[in-house]
Amino acid sequence: MKKTIRIEGMMCGHCSGRVKKALEAVEGVEAAEVSHETGMAEVTLSGDVSDGALTKAVTDAGYKVTGIE
């Protein structure tokens, strides 16, 4: 299963790296591809992960989630 997350506040590759690390630390997340250029993250999940858990990981890293699909 995959989810796409729209994220505000990422300005550089370092920002993308922080968000990637935060998302991949969430239980049930297999991988995260994050782009500061598009402001998007595509997350591959191994199980059921709530939108709230993904949002918290991004918020705790210092960025704002504007939507999850």
Side-chain angles (χ1 to χ4, degrees):
M1 178 177 179
K2 292 192 177 200
K3 289 188 179 184
T4 302
I5 307 169
R6 288 189 299 280
I7 303 166
E8 283 184 356
M10 296 187 296
M11 302 295 183
C12 64
H14 178 72
C15 297
S16 299
R18 284 186 59 177
V19 172
K20 177 179 173 68
K21 185 175 177 181
L23 288 169
E24 289 180 345
V26 175
E27 188 172 338
V29 174
E30 287 183 355
E33 294 299 320
V34 183
S35 171
H36 67 277
E37 287 127 346
T38 63
M40 305 285 269
E42 184 171 276
V43 183
T44 303
L45 307 172
S46 62
D48 189 28
V49 178
S50 72
D51 290 354
L54 297 173
T55 298
K56 182 174 180 355
V58 173
T59 303
D60 287 351
Y63 305 94
K64 181 181 178 183
V65 172
T66 59
I68 298 179
E69 300 168 8

Short mmCIF file of all heavy atoms in Angstrom, two decimals:
data_model
loop_
_atom_site.label_atom_id
_atom_site.label_comp_id
_atom_site.label_asym_id
_atom_site.label_seq_id
_atom_site.Cartn_x
_atom_site.Cartn_y
_atom_site.Cartn_z
N MET A 1 0.85 -1.18 0.00
CA MET A 1 0.00 0.00 0.00
C MET A 1 0.89 1.24 0.00
O MET A 1 1.94 1.26 0.64
CB MET A 1 -0.89 -0.02 1.24
CG MET A 1 -1.78 1.18 1.37
SD MET A 1 -2.85 1.03 2.83
CE MET A 1 -3.71 2.55 2.69
N LYS A 2 0.45 2.25 -0.71
CA LYS A 2 1.19 3.51 -0.76
C LYS A 2 0.28 4.67 -0.38
O LYS A 2 -0.91 4.65 -0.66
CB LYS A 2 1.77 3.74 -2.15
CG LYS A 2 2.86 2.76 -2.51
CD LYS A 2 3.60 3.19 -3.74
CE LYS A 2 4.72 2.19 -3.98
NZ LYS A 2 5.75 2.72 -4.80
N LYS A 3 0.89 5.68 0.22
CA LYS A 3 0.19 6.93 0.51
C LYS A 3 1.08 8.07 0.04
O LYS A 3 2.31 7.97 0.10
CB LYS A 3 -0.07 7.08 2.01
CG LYS A 3 -1.13 6.14 2.55
CD LYS A 3 -1.49 6.48 3.98
CE LYS A 3 -2.58 5.54 4.49
NZ LYS A 3 -3.00 5.90 5.85
N THR A 4 0.44 9.13 -0.44
CA THR A 4 1.16 10.33 -0.85
C THR A 4 0.83 11.44 0.14
O THR A 4 -0.34 11.68 0.45
CB THR A 4 0.75 10.75 -2.28
OG1 THR A 4 1.03 9.66 -3.16
CG2 THR A 4 1.53 11.98 -2.72
N ILE A 5 1.87 12.08 0.64
CA ILE A 5 1.71 13.14 1.64
C ILE A 5 2.18 14.46 1.05
O ILE A 5 3.29 14.53 0.51
CB ILE A 5 2.54 12.81 2.90
CG1 ILE A 5 2.20 11.41 3.42
CG2 ILE A 5 2.32 13.86 3.98
CD1 ILE A 5 3.17 10.91 4.48
N ARG A 6 1.36 15.49 1.15
CA ARG A 6 1.75 16.84 0.73
C ARG A 6 2.31 17.55 1.97
O ARG A 6 1.67 17.57 3.02
CB ARG A 6 0.55 17.60 0.16
CG ARG A 6 0.14 17.09 -1.21
CD ARG A 6 -0.90 17.97 -1.88
NE ARG A 6 -2.14 18.10 -1.16
CZ ARG A 6 -3.12 17.19 -1.17
NH1 ARG A 6 -3.00 16.09 -1.85
NH2 ARG A 6 -4.23 17.39 -0.50
N ILE A 7 3.50 18.12 1.80
CA ILE A 7 4.22 18.71 2.94
C ILE A 7 4.68 20.12 2.60
O ILE A 7 5.23 20.35 1.53
CB ILE A 7 5.45 17.84 3.31
CG1 ILE A 7 5.00 16.41 3.62
CG2 ILE A 7 6.21 18.44 4.48
CD1 ILE A 7 6.14 15.41 3.67
N GLU A 8 4.48 21.06 3.53
CA GLU A 8 4.95 22.44 3.38
C GLU A 8 6.18 22.65 4.25
O GLU A 8 6.28 22.07 5.33
CB GLU A 8 3.87 23.43 3.82
CG GLU A 8 2.76 23.62 2.84
CD GLU A 8 1.77 24.70 3.29
OE1 GLU A 8 1.90 25.24 4.41
OE2 GLU A 8 0.85 24.97 2.52
N GLY A 9 7.08 23.49 3.77
CA GLY A 9 8.21 23.93 4.59
C GLY A 9 9.55 23.32 4.22
O GLY A 9 10.58 23.77 4.73
N MET A 10 9.57 22.34 3.34
CA MET A 10 10.85 21.75 2.94
C MET A 10 11.50 22.65 1.89
O MET A 10 10.88 22.97 0.89
CB MET A 10 10.64 20.35 2.36
CG MET A 10 10.10 19.34 3.35
SD MET A 10 10.09 17.66 2.69
CE MET A 10 8.93 17.79 1.33
N MET A 11 12.75 23.05 2.14
CA MET A 11 13.43 23.98 1.24
C MET A 11 14.64 23.38 0.53
O MET A 11 15.13 23.96 -0.43
CB MET A 11 13.91 25.21 2.03
CG MET A 11 12.81 25.94 2.73
SD MET A 11 11.68 26.67 1.54
CE MET A 11 10.57 27.52 2.61
N CYS A 12 15.15 22.24 1.04
CA CYS A 12 16.41 21.71 0.49
C CYS A 12 16.48 20.20 0.67
O CYS A 12 15.60 19.59 1.28
CB CYS A 12 17.60 22.37 1.19
SG CYS A 12 17.68 21.99 2.95
N GLY A 13 17.55 19.63 0.18
CA GLY A 13 17.76 18.20 0.31
C GLY A 13 17.87 17.75 1.75
O GLY A 13 17.44 16.65 2.11
N HIS A 14 18.43 18.60 2.61
CA HIS A 14 18.53 18.27 4.03
C HIS A 14 17.13 18.12 4.63
O HIS A 14 16.89 17.22 5.42
CB HIS A 14 19.32 19.35 4.77
CG HIS A 14 19.43 19.12 6.24
ND1 HIS A 14 20.23 18.15 6.79
CD2 HIS A 14 18.83 19.74 7.28
CE1 HIS A 14 20.10 18.18 8.10
NE2 HIS A 14 19.26 19.14 8.42
N CYS A 15 16.22 19.01 4.25
CA CYS A 15 14.83 18.94 4.72
C CYS A 15 14.20 17.61 4.30
O CYS A 15 13.56 16.93 5.10
CB CYS A 15 14.01 20.09 4.16
SG CYS A 15 14.53 21.73 4.66
N SER A 16 14.39 17.27 3.04
CA SER A 16 13.85 16.01 2.52
C SER A 16 14.39 14.83 3.32
O SER A 16 13.66 13.90 3.65
CB SER A 16 14.21 15.82 1.05
OG SER A 16 13.67 16.84 0.26
N GLY A 17 15.68 14.87 3.63
CA GLY A 17 16.31 13.80 4.40
C GLY A 17 15.73 13.67 5.79
O GLY A 17 15.53 12.55 6.29
N ARG A 18 15.46 14.80 6.44
CA ARG A 18 14.86 14.76 7.79
C ARG A 18 13.48 14.13 7.75
O ARG A 18 13.13 13.33 8.61
CB ARG A 18 14.75 16.17 8.37
CG ARG A 18 16.07 16.72 8.85
CD ARG A 18 15.91 18.04 9.53
NE ARG A 18 15.01 17.93 10.68
CZ ARG A 18 14.73 18.91 11.50
NH1 ARG A 18 15.27 20.09 11.32
NH2 ARG A 18 13.91 18.73 12.51
N VAL A 19 12.67 14.51 6.76
CA VAL A 19 11.32 13.97 6.64
C VAL A 19 11.37 12.48 6.31
O VAL A 19 10.64 11.68 6.89
CB VAL A 19 10.50 14.75 5.59
CG1 VAL A 19 9.17 14.07 5.33
CG2 VAL A 19 10.28 16.19 6.05
N LYS A 20 12.27 12.09 5.42
CA LYS A 20 12.43 10.68 5.06
C LYS A 20 12.77 9.85 6.30
O LYS A 20 12.16 8.81 6.56
CB LYS A 20 13.52 10.53 4.00
CG LYS A 20 13.83 9.09 3.60
CD LYS A 20 14.90 9.06 2.53
CE LYS A 20 15.39 7.65 2.22
NZ LYS A 20 14.39 6.82 1.59
N LYS A 21 13.74 10.32 7.07
CA LYS A 21 14.16 9.60 8.27
C LYS A 21 13.01 9.50 9.27
O LYS A 21 12.78 8.44 9.88
CB LYS A 21 15.36 10.32 8.90
CG LYS A 21 15.95 9.61 10.07
CD LYS A 21 17.20 10.32 10.56
CE LYS A 21 17.76 9.64 11.79
NZ LYS A 21 18.95 10.30 12.31
N ALA A 22 12.27 10.58 9.45
CA ALA A 22 11.15 10.59 10.40
C ALA A 22 10.05 9.62 9.96
O ALA A 22 9.52 8.87 10.79
CB ALA A 22 10.59 12.00 10.53
N LEU A 23 9.72 9.62 8.68
CA LEU A 23 8.67 8.73 8.19
C LEU A 23 9.10 7.27 8.27
O LEU A 23 8.31 6.40 8.65
CB LEU A 23 8.29 9.09 6.75
CG LEU A 23 7.49 10.38 6.59
CD1 LEU A 23 7.41 10.78 5.13
CD2 LEU A 23 6.09 10.22 7.18
N GLU A 24 10.35 6.98 7.93
CA GLU A 24 10.82 5.60 7.95
C GLU A 24 10.96 5.05 9.37
O GLU A 24 11.05 3.85 9.56
CB GLU A 24 12.12 5.46 7.16
CG GLU A 24 11.87 5.61 5.67
CD GLU A 24 13.11 5.50 4.80
OE1 GLU A 24 14.24 5.58 5.33
OE2 GLU A 24 12.94 5.33 3.57
N ALA A 25 10.94 5.94 10.37
CA ALA A 25 10.99 5.50 11.76
C ALA A 25 9.62 5.05 12.27
O ALA A 25 9.52 4.42 13.32
CB ALA A 25 11.54 6.63 12.64
N VAL A 26 8.56 5.37 11.53
CA VAL A 26 7.20 4.98 11.93
C VAL A 26 7.01 3.49 11.66
O VAL A 26 7.32 3.00 10.57
CB VAL A 26 6.13 5.80 11.14
CG1 VAL A 26 4.73 5.33 11.47
CG2 VAL A 26 6.28 7.29 11.44
N GLU A 27 6.50 2.78 12.67
CA GLU A 27 6.27 1.35 12.51
C GLU A 27 5.25 1.10 11.40
O GLU A 27 4.20 1.74 11.35
CB GLU A 27 5.75 0.75 13.82
CG GLU A 27 5.67 -0.76 13.79
CD GLU A 27 5.34 -1.37 15.13
OE1 GLU A 27 5.57 -0.71 16.16
OE2 GLU A 27 4.84 -2.49 15.13
N GLY A 28 5.60 0.20 10.48
CA GLY A 28 4.73 -0.11 9.36
C GLY A 28 5.12 0.59 8.07
O GLY A 28 4.59 0.28 7.01
N VAL A 29 6.07 1.53 8.16
CA VAL A 29 6.56 2.22 6.96
C VAL A 29 7.79 1.47 6.45
O VAL A 29 8.77 1.32 7.17
CB VAL A 29 6.91 3.69 7.24
CG1 VAL A 29 7.56 4.34 6.02
CG2 VAL A 29 5.67 4.47 7.66
N GLU A 30 7.70 0.96 5.22
CA GLU A 30 8.83 0.25 4.61
C GLU A 30 9.84 1.21 4.01
O GLU A 30 11.04 1.02 4.12
CB GLU A 30 8.34 -0.71 3.52
CG GLU A 30 7.64 -1.93 4.04
CD GLU A 30 7.25 -2.88 2.92
OE1 GLU A 30 7.43 -2.56 1.72
OE2 GLU A 30 6.74 -3.96 3.25
N ALA A 31 9.34 2.24 3.32
CA ALA A 31 10.22 3.19 2.64
C ALA A 31 9.47 4.50 2.41
O ALA A 31 8.24 4.51 2.34
CB ALA A 31 10.68 2.63 1.31
N ALA A 32 10.24 5.57 2.28
CA ALA A 32 9.66 6.88 1.97
C ALA A 32 10.54 7.56 0.93
O ALA A 32 11.76 7.60 1.07
CB ALA A 32 9.58 7.74 3.23
N GLU A 33 9.91 8.04 -0.12
CA GLU A 33 10.59 8.85 -1.14
C GLU A 33 10.09 10.27 -0.97
O GLU A 33 8.89 10.53 -1.12
CB GLU A 33 10.27 8.33 -2.55
CG GLU A 33 10.81 6.94 -2.82
CD GLU A 33 12.32 6.85 -2.73
OE1 GLU A 33 13.01 7.79 -3.17
OE2 GLU A 33 12.81 5.85 -2.18
N VAL A 34 11.00 11.18 -0.64
CA VAL A 34 10.61 12.55 -0.30
C VAL A 34 11.29 13.53 -1.25
O VAL A 34 12.48 13.42 -1.52
CB VAL A 34 11.01 12.87 1.16
CG1 VAL A 34 10.54 14.27 1.54
CG2 VAL A 34 10.43 11.83 2.12
N SER A 35 10.52 14.51 -1.75
CA SER A 35 11.07 15.53 -2.64
C SER A 35 10.72 16.92 -2.13
O SER A 35 9.53 17.26 -2.02
CB SER A 35 10.51 15.36 -4.06
OG SER A 35 10.87 16.47 -4.85
N HIS A 36 11.75 17.71 -1.82
CA HIS A 36 11.46 19.09 -1.41
C HIS A 36 11.02 19.91 -2.61
O HIS A 36 10.31 20.90 -2.45
CB HIS A 36 12.69 19.72 -0.74
CG HIS A 36 13.85 19.94 -1.65
ND1 HIS A 36 14.75 18.95 -1.96
CD2 HIS A 36 14.27 21.04 -2.32
CE1 HIS A 36 15.66 19.43 -2.78
NE2 HIS A 36 15.39 20.71 -3.02
N GLU A 37 11.42 19.51 -3.83
CA GLU A 37 11.05 20.26 -5.03
C GLU A 37 9.55 20.22 -5.28
O GLU A 37 8.95 21.20 -5.68
CB GLU A 37 11.79 19.72 -6.25
CG GLU A 37 13.25 20.10 -6.26
CD GLU A 37 14.16 18.89 -6.42
OE1 GLU A 37 13.68 17.75 -6.28
OE2 GLU A 37 15.35 19.11 -6.68
N THR A 38 8.93 19.05 -5.06
CA THR A 38 7.48 18.91 -5.28
C THR A 38 6.68 19.09 -4.00
O THR A 38 5.46 19.24 -4.06
CB THR A 38 7.15 17.53 -5.87
OG1 THR A 38 7.52 16.51 -4.93
CG2 THR A 38 7.86 17.30 -7.19
N GLY A 39 7.35 19.03 -2.84
CA GLY A 39 6.64 19.12 -1.57
C GLY A 39 5.82 17.88 -1.30
O GLY A 39 4.78 17.95 -0.64
N MET A 40 6.31 16.74 -1.80
CA MET A 40 5.55 15.49 -1.66
C MET A 40 6.43 14.39 -1.08
O MET A 40 7.64 14.37 -1.28
CB MET A 40 5.03 15.02 -3.02
CG MET A 40 4.22 16.03 -3.77
SD MET A 40 2.59 16.25 -3.11
CE MET A 40 1.70 15.06 -4.06
N ALA A 41 5.76 13.45 -0.41
CA ALA A 41 6.42 12.23 0.04
C ALA A 41 5.53 11.06 -0.36
O ALA A 41 4.31 11.11 -0.15
CB ALA A 41 6.61 12.24 1.55
N GLU A 42 6.13 10.05 -0.95
CA GLU A 42 5.40 8.82 -1.26
C GLU A 42 5.90 7.76 -0.29
O GLU A 42 7.09 7.46 -0.26
CB GLU A 42 5.62 8.38 -2.70
CG GLU A 42 4.76 7.16 -3.04
CD GLU A 42 4.78 6.82 -4.51
OE1 GLU A 42 4.01 7.41 -5.27
OE2 GLU A 42 5.59 5.95 -4.87
N VAL A 43 4.98 7.22 0.49
CA VAL A 43 5.33 6.28 1.54
C VAL A 43 4.80 4.90 1.18
O VAL A 43 3.64 4.75 0.82
CB VAL A 43 4.72 6.75 2.89
CG1 VAL A 43 5.13 5.84 4.02
CG2 VAL A 43 5.15 8.17 3.19
N THR A 44 5.68 3.89 1.26
CA THR A 44 5.30 2.50 1.04
C THR A 44 5.09 1.86 2.40
O THR A 44 5.99 1.90 3.25
CB THR A 44 6.40 1.75 0.26
OG1 THR A 44 6.64 2.44 -0.96
CG2 THR A 44 5.97 0.32 -0.03
N LEU A 45 3.91 1.28 2.59
CA LEU A 45 3.54 0.72 3.89
C LEU A 45 3.48 -0.79 3.85
O LEU A 45 3.02 -1.38 2.88
CB LEU A 45 2.17 1.26 4.31
CG LEU A 45 2.02 2.79 4.29
CD1 LEU A 45 0.58 3.18 4.53
CD2 LEU A 45 2.93 3.43 5.31
N SER A 46 3.92 -1.42 4.95
CA SER A 46 3.84 -2.88 5.06
C SER A 46 2.57 -3.31 5.79
O SER A 46 2.21 -4.48 5.78
CB SER A 46 5.06 -3.42 5.81
OG SER A 46 5.09 -2.92 7.13
N GLY A 47 1.91 -2.37 6.43
CA GLY A 47 0.68 -2.67 7.16
C GLY A 47 -0.18 -1.43 7.26
O GLY A 47 0.02 -0.46 6.53
N ASP A 48 -1.11 -1.47 8.18
CA ASP A 48 -2.04 -0.36 8.37
C ASP A 48 -1.38 0.71 9.23
O ASP A 48 -1.10 0.48 10.40
CB ASP A 48 -3.33 -0.87 9.02
CG ASP A 48 -4.41 0.19 9.04
OD1 ASP A 48 -4.40 1.06 8.14
OD2 ASP A 48 -5.26 0.16 9.94
N VAL A 49 -1.10 1.86 8.64
CA VAL A 49 -0.51 2.98 9.36
C VAL A 49 -1.49 4.14 9.24
O VAL A 49 -1.92 4.49 8.15
CB VAL A 49 0.86 3.38 8.76
CG1 VAL A 49 1.44 4.57 9.49
CG2 VAL A 49 1.82 2.20 8.80
N SER A 50 -1.84 4.72 10.39
CA SER A 50 -2.84 5.80 10.38
C SER A 50 -2.24 7.08 9.81
O SER A 50 -1.03 7.33 9.90
CB SER A 50 -3.35 6.06 11.80
OG SER A 50 -2.35 6.71 12.58
N ASP A 51 -3.12 7.89 9.22
CA ASP A 51 -2.70 9.20 8.72
C ASP A 51 -2.16 10.04 9.88
O ASP A 51 -1.23 10.82 9.70
CB ASP A 51 -3.87 9.92 8.05
CG ASP A 51 -4.26 9.28 6.73
OD1 ASP A 51 -3.55 8.36 6.26
OD2 ASP A 51 -5.29 9.70 6.16
N GLY A 52 -2.74 9.86 11.06
CA GLY A 52 -2.30 10.60 12.23
C GLY A 52 -0.86 10.31 12.60
O GLY A 52 -0.10 11.22 12.97
N ALA A 53 -0.45 9.05 12.50
CA ALA A 53 0.94 8.67 12.81
C ALA A 53 1.90 9.28 11.81
O ALA A 53 2.99 9.76 12.18
CB ALA A 53 1.07 7.15 12.84
N LEU A 54 1.52 9.30 10.54
CA LEU A 54 2.37 9.90 9.50
C LEU A 54 2.46 11.41 9.70
O LEU A 54 3.55 11.99 9.60
CB LEU A 54 1.82 9.57 8.12
CG LEU A 54 1.80 8.08 7.75
CD1 LEU A 54 1.06 7.87 6.43
CD2 LEU A 54 3.19 7.49 7.70
N THR A 55 1.32 12.03 9.99
CA THR A 55 1.30 13.48 10.22
C THR A 55 2.16 13.85 11.41
O THR A 55 2.93 14.82 11.36
CB THR A 55 -0.15 13.96 10.45
OG1 THR A 55 -0.91 13.69 9.27
CG2 THR A 55 -0.20 15.46 10.74
N LYS A 56 2.07 13.09 12.50
CA LYS A 56 2.87 13.36 13.70
C LYS A 56 4.36 13.28 13.40
O LYS A 56 5.13 14.13 13.85
CB LYS A 56 2.49 12.40 14.83
CG LYS A 56 3.25 12.65 16.12
CD LYS A 56 2.78 11.79 17.25
CE LYS A 56 3.49 11.98 18.56
NZ LYS A 56 4.60 12.85 18.67
N ALA A 57 4.77 12.29 12.63
CA ALA A 57 6.19 12.14 12.29
C ALA A 57 6.70 13.36 11.53
O ALA A 57 7.77 13.90 11.84
CB ALA A 57 6.40 10.87 11.47
N VAL A 58 5.92 13.83 10.56
CA VAL A 58 6.32 15.00 9.76
C VAL A 58 6.31 16.26 10.63
O VAL A 58 7.25 17.06 10.58
CB VAL A 58 5.39 15.16 8.53
CG1 VAL A 58 5.69 16.46 7.80
CG2 VAL A 58 5.54 13.97 7.59
N THR A 59 5.28 16.42 11.43
CA THR A 59 5.16 17.60 12.30
C THR A 59 6.29 17.64 13.33
O THR A 59 6.89 18.70 13.55
CB THR A 59 3.80 17.60 13.01
OG1 THR A 59 2.77 17.57 12.02
CG2 THR A 59 3.61 18.83 13.87
N ASP A 60 6.60 16.48 13.91
CA ASP A 60 7.69 16.42 14.89
C ASP A 60 9.04 16.76 14.26
O ASP A 60 9.95 17.22 14.94
CB ASP A 60 7.75 15.04 15.55
CG ASP A 60 6.60 14.80 16.53
OD1 ASP A 60 5.85 15.75 16.83
OD2 ASP A 60 6.47 13.65 16.99
N ALA A 61 9.17 16.51 12.95
CA ALA A 61 10.40 16.86 12.23
C ALA A 61 10.46 18.34 11.88
O ALA A 61 11.48 18.85 11.41
CB ALA A 61 10.53 16.02 10.95
N GLY A 62 9.35 19.07 12.10
CA GLY A 62 9.34 20.51 11.90
C GLY A 62 8.65 21.00 10.64
O GLY A 62 8.82 22.14 10.24
N TYR A 63 7.83 20.15 10.02
CA TYR A 63 7.16 20.51 8.77
C TYR A 63 5.66 20.34 8.89
O TYR A 63 5.17 19.76 9.85
CB TYR A 63 7.74 19.68 7.61
CG TYR A 63 9.24 19.83 7.55
CD1 TYR A 63 10.07 18.93 8.19
CD2 TYR A 63 9.82 20.92 6.91
CE1 TYR A 63 11.45 19.09 8.19
CE2 TYR A 63 11.19 21.10 6.91
CZ TYR A 63 12.00 20.18 7.55
OH TYR A 63 13.35 20.36 7.55
N LYS A 64 4.92 20.86 7.91
CA LYS A 64 3.45 20.85 7.98
C LYS A 64 2.87 19.96 6.89
O LYS A 64 3.20 20.11 5.71
CB LYS A 64 2.93 22.28 7.80
CG LYS A 64 1.43 22.40 7.87
CD LYS A 64 0.98 23.82 7.67
CE LYS A 64 -0.54 23.90 7.69
NZ LYS A 64 -1.01 25.25 7.43
N VAL A 65 1.99 19.06 7.30
CA VAL A 65 1.27 18.20 6.35
C VAL A 65 0.03 18.96 5.89
O VAL A 65 -0.77 19.43 6.71
CB VAL A 65 0.87 16.86 7.00
CG1 VAL A 65 -0.03 16.06 6.08
CG2 VAL A 65 2.11 16.06 7.36
N THR A 66 -0.16 19.06 4.57
CA THR A 66 -1.34 19.74 4.03
C THR A 66 -2.34 18.76 3.42
O THR A 66 -3.43 19.16 3.03
CB THR A 66 -0.95 20.81 2.99
OG1 THR A 66 -0.24 20.18 1.93
CG2 THR A 66 -0.08 21.89 3.63
N GLY A 67 -1.96 17.48 3.35
CA GLY A 67 -2.91 16.49 2.83
C GLY A 67 -2.27 15.13 2.70
O GLY A 67 -1.05 15.01 2.53
N ILE A 68 -3.09 14.08 2.83
CA ILE A 68 -2.64 12.71 2.63
C ILE A 68 -3.64 12.01 1.74
O ILE A 68 -4.84 12.07 1.98
CB ILE A 68 -2.51 11.95 3.96
CG1 ILE A 68 -1.45 12.63 4.87
CG2 ILE A 68 -2.14 10.48 3.73
CD1 ILE A 68 -1.27 11.98 6.23
N GLU A 69 -3.13 11.36 0.69
CA GLU A 69 -4.00 10.63 -0.24
C GLU A 69 -3.62 9.17 -0.22
O GLU A 69 -2.47 8.81 -0.18
CB GLU A 69 -3.83 11.17 -1.66
CG GLU A 69 -4.19 12.63 -1.77
CD GLU A 69 -3.74 13.21 -3.11
OE1 GLU A 69 -3.28 12.47 -3.99
OE2 GLU A 69 -3.82 14.43 -3.25
#
